Amino acid sequence: MDETTKKLLIGEGMFLAGFSLRAIERHLKINRKVLASYLKKEGYGIEAKTGNSGYDKYEKYEKAVPEFLEGKSIRELAKKYGFSRQGFSLHLKDQGIQVNATKPSNGSEETSRKIKQAKELYNEGKSIQEIKKEVKLDGAILAHEFKKMGIDTIEEARKYKVNEDIFKTIDTGEKAYWLGFLYADGSVTFENGRYVLELGLKAEDVNHLEKFKRFIDTDAKIDDKLVKLKGKKYMAKRIAIHNKKFVQNLIKNGCTPRKSLNLSFPDETILPKEFVNDFIRGYLDGDGNIKKFDRNTYNPQVYVSFTGTEEFLTSLCKWLDVNPNKFDNEGNAFRQRFGGNNKAFNILYCLYDRGTVFLDRKKEIFDEWNKYLSQRKSLFK
């Protein structure tokens, strides 16, 4: 992954945390027009602005640093290169270059007052976003001052309530279900100190995201995202959890980055036998398919299918005690399909009959098949 792509991914996380494009630009040193275009392509409601970007000043700062070290004043360099003295002073401090204090102007006195107020609000328990809104202090100055206190404003802004230990041990059917669902549909990222779980579903399944929110006890927002799939566009809903411990627990339990290429069925050290059916139901709800019941079809037949790696599907078939069919190849993934009313319905019955958590629309399909097959069986007794 190249440096620009890394910055864009980090910038996306900062944007979700509430940072403005200008603040992200200053922190990551990336042109906000480039970032805006990237976010727009990812489906966010962003309009890329025209005109020069403030990013240009960083190149000027770098040119001015050697001249400052040679003895030129900040005032001279600000006039020569057309940047603010305060911004360049902060840049020097961030580079570890000592800047001699000068008599503050009225403007810097006002900034000092706001910084003091910001620190007081932080000590009172206010969030970074609340402080920025109340104090109206430039984000770069706030980040710089808080950095001296050992506070990372990016991480602070991402904080919200979440049970970060929920996946530490898989010891309930509900935990097993959601682990299976995340094996199928969750996206885990960890790089450059960025730990994120993202879960995106169709807009019609937003209720399922609400169930997940309650399960992990979080107040993180559910956002809209425009998704492109097979040449079509549709609006999706997603939730992103930025929490190192939360993500590390998922990775420890086998829910890893790039899992479409390396996913393995969890062993007993991760998933106790009594919760395997819950796990598989979660996986089916996330990345499986059940044929819809059609009353207009003569002698309708059930089928159920799972998509995953060859290794994962082989272990799944072993657990379900069914002989695997030949896997269908779907790009980098494989698909295992079970047909025939007895085999397919027996699988669904084991998964859904006593399940306590499920994707509503798939449970409804199971209920229709269950009713139909029960009625048909009673007719032939």
Side-chain angles (χ1 to χ4, degrees), residues 109-346:
E109 286 178 355
E110 177 67 10
T111 299
S112 297
R113 183 190 66 77
K114 288 185 176 182
I115 290 170
K116 182 180 178 181
Q117 183 187 1
K119 291 178 179 179
E120 290 173 351
L121 291 172
Y122 181 81
N123 290 332
E124 291 172 7
K126 292 287 184 75
S127 71
I128 296 297
Q129 293 305 311
E130 289 174 324
I131 293 170
K132 286 173 65 178
K133 186 175 181 179
E134 185 169 338
V135 178
K136 295 182 173 60
L137 183 64
D138 183 275
I141 297 174
L142 185 66
H144 175 80
E145 292 297 328
F146 273 50
K147 185 178 180 181
K148 292 192 293 187
M149 298 166 58
I151 300 167
D152 187 332
T153 56
I154 298 173
E155 289 303 317
E156 286 290 321
R158 288 175 177 168
K159 283 186 178 178
Y160 34 69
K161 182 179 74 169
V162 64
N163 184 349
E164 59 185 16
D165 291 320
I166 191 72
F167 289 110
K168 184 176 181 180
T169 304
I170 308 303
D171 52 9
T172 69
E174 190 174 12
K175 290 182 182 181
Y177 172 87
W178 285 114
L179 182 66
F181 195 86
L182 294 178
Y183 262 52
D185 263 356
S187 174
V188 168
T189 302
F190 74 100
E191 56 183 19
N192 299 325
R194 181 175 181 261
Y195 289 78
V196 188
L197 165 74
E198 182 179 329
L199 178 59
L201 300 177
K202 295 177 180 179
E204 65 182 286
D205 293 330
V206 65
N207 182 56
H208 208 57
L209 285 182
E210 294 289 355
K211 290 182 186 179
F212 181 65
K213 278 188 63 173
R214 291 192 292 272
F215 169 69
I216 63 175
D217 192 23
T218 185
D219 52 7
K221 294 191 302 181
I222 294 176
D223 297 309
D224 293 323
K225 183 178 181 181
L226 185 65
V227 176
K228 299 176 183 178
L229 183 63
K230 296 180 180 178
K232 296 182 179 180
K233 296 181 181 180
Y234 65 91
M235 188 58 68
K237 297 287 185 177
R238 73 167 177 181
I239 187 171
I241 303 299
H242 298 258
N243 185 288
K244 181 177 180 179
K245 193 173 182 182
F246 183 93
V247 172
Q248 284 179 330
N249 283 330
L250 284 174
I251 294 171
K252 181 193 72 172
N253 287 320
C255 190
T256 61
R258 296 177 292 279
K259 60 185 184 311
S260 61
L261 301 176
N262 54 29
L263 189 67
S264 298
F265 200 87
D267 60 29
E268 287 187 52
T269 63
I270 295 173
L271 184 66
K273 287 184 177 180
E274 61 265 36
F275 304 128
V276 175
N277 279 357
D278 297 286
F279 172 86
I280 296 175
R281 184 175 67 258
Y283 190 86
L284 176 61
D285 279 352
D287 209 357
N289 187 38
I290 308 171
K291 182 183 178 182
K292 289 185 178 181
F293 177 73
D294 185 357
R295 291 188 176 276
N296 297 319
T297 302
Y298 176 74
N299 192 27
Q301 297 293 306
V302 188
Y303 77 73
V304 57
S305 65
F306 298 84
T307 301
T309 64
E310 189 171 9
E311 179 183 358
F312 182 91
L313 294 177
T314 299
S315 298
L316 183 144
C317 290
K318 184 177 180 180
W319 171 260
L320 294 174
D321 195 25
V322 291
N323 294 321
N325 303 317
K326 182 180 178 181
F327 294 133
D328 297 322
N329 188 270
E330 295 188 346
N332 293 325
F334 295 84
R335 185 167 69 100
Q336 177 63 257
R337 183 179 184 276
F338 302 104
N341 284 350
N342 287 337
K343 181 189 288 188
F345 184 74
N346 285 342

Side-chain angles (χ1 to χ4, degrees), residues 370-381:
N370 189 19
K371 183 178 179 180
Y372 166 73
L373 292 174
S374 297
Q375 290 175 339
R376 194 173 74 167
K377 181 182 281 188
S378 65
L379 291 174
F380 291 96
K381 281 186 178 181

